[in-house]
Amino acid sequence: MERAAVFDVDGTLVDTNHLHVTSWWEAFRQAGHRVPMHAVHRAVGLPSSDLVARLLGGDRDTGRDEELSAAHKALYGQWFDRLPAFADAGRLLKRLHRDGWTVVLATSAGGTELSALRRAIDADEAIAATASADDVEEGKPAPEPVEHALGLAGVPAERAVFVGDTVWDMRAGERAGVRCVGVLCGGIPRADLIEAGADAVYDDPAHLLASLSEGPLA
């Protein structure tokens, strides 16, 4: 039977979380908001509208949400030509593909951002499909992104594993009924990932690759 390995991208395969934090922090600063970086870090992985709502609250001027999102996108876009993949991220996807897994990316990125991320990973031949935020009505922690990825793979939840780096990833995967694997390279503590639904936690893609024979992706 087919089996699917679904991967979040930012903070999981590519070392971008802190670039997002800095870009959001600067976007907020330019708009006159003082938001601590540690708070931004905890919100990374949410859709832009949800991230802004979480950090600024319900009494904000919602008419400026799009402006904030656009500022973040412009600031983050300065890094597109040098986004760094984590060590062995591409090798991990290629190995899973050789082992018979259908590899699908589940990410909020699209367009030129997604192209930049895929260039960094350098494993296009192993990636069967990509589920982006544009394809669903609700982003993580709603299960829709993972469910859409499973639909693209043509694989039921019980034959799939979802790998991510945030509590939003783990909650989305758990709600979609898949086994969840957390990685620490996005900066979220192990205990938080386990509490959110991770069945196993690894340091980074290299650690996961070295542990394939004994983990959820065996």
Side-chain angles (χ1 to χ4, degrees):
M1 290 181 64
E2 290 287 333
R3 51 186 181 169
V6 181
F7 282 84
D8 170 65
V9 180
D10 284 297
T12 299
L13 297 172
V14 187
D15 190 7
T16 53
N17 277 9
H18 290 86
L19 298 178
H20 279 296
V21 170
T22 302
S23 298
W24 274 116
W25 175 84
E26 176 61 13
F28 285 126
R29 189 197 67 80
Q30 290 178 4
H33 302 290
R34 297 185 63 180
V35 181
M37 286 195 180
H38 70 84
V40 179
H41 183 216
R42 288 285 186 169
V44 165
L46 289 171
S48 293
S49 58
D50 294 342
L51 181 147
V52 172
R54 180 180 178 86
L55 294 173
L56 298 186
D59 58 349
R60 72 192 186 283
D61 178 3
T62 56
R64 300 196 67 185
D65 285 6
E66 286 298 323
E67 179 184 334
L68 286 165
S69 181
H72 160 261
K73 186 175 294 186
L75 290 160
Y76 178 62
Q78 299 176 72
W79 301 96
F80 283 179
D81 62 346
R82 53 197 186 279
L83 298 181
F86 287 113
D88 288 342
R91 287 184 60 206
L92 172 62
L93 301 192
K94 292 172 185 177
R95 167 66 183 278
L96 291 170
H97 175 66
R98 288 198 304 270
D99 288 351
W101 291 83
T102 299
V103 177
V104 181
L105 304 182
T107 174
S108 60
T112 55
E113 180 181 350
L114 178 57
S115 297
L117 291 166
R118 291 185 66 143
R119 283 197 303 273
I121 298 166
D122 191 23
D124 276 355
E125 66 272 28
I127 300 169
T130 300
S132 76
D134 296 335
D135 302 318
V136 298
E137 291 186 7
E138 288 189 85
K140 305 165 192 171
E144 278 189 70
V146 180
E147 291 170 345
H148 181 60
L150 297 180
L152 293 173
V155 174
E158 61 269 18
R159 297 283 299 170
V161 175
F162 179 46
V163 183
D165 68 295
T166 68
V167 295
W168 320 117
D169 291 326
M170 300 302 100
R171 291 175 185 173
E174 186 176 50
R175 291 168 184 173
V178 303
R179 294 190 69 186
C180 297
V181 171
V183 287
L184 298 174
C185 45
I188 300 301
R190 179 186 302 270
D192 290 6
L193 295 174
I194 291 174
E195 183 180 356
D199 295 301
V201 178
Y202 298 88
D203 293 338
D204 50 28
H207 186 201
L208 181 52
L209 176 62
S211 307
L212 283 183
S213 62
E214 58 190 22
L217 288 162

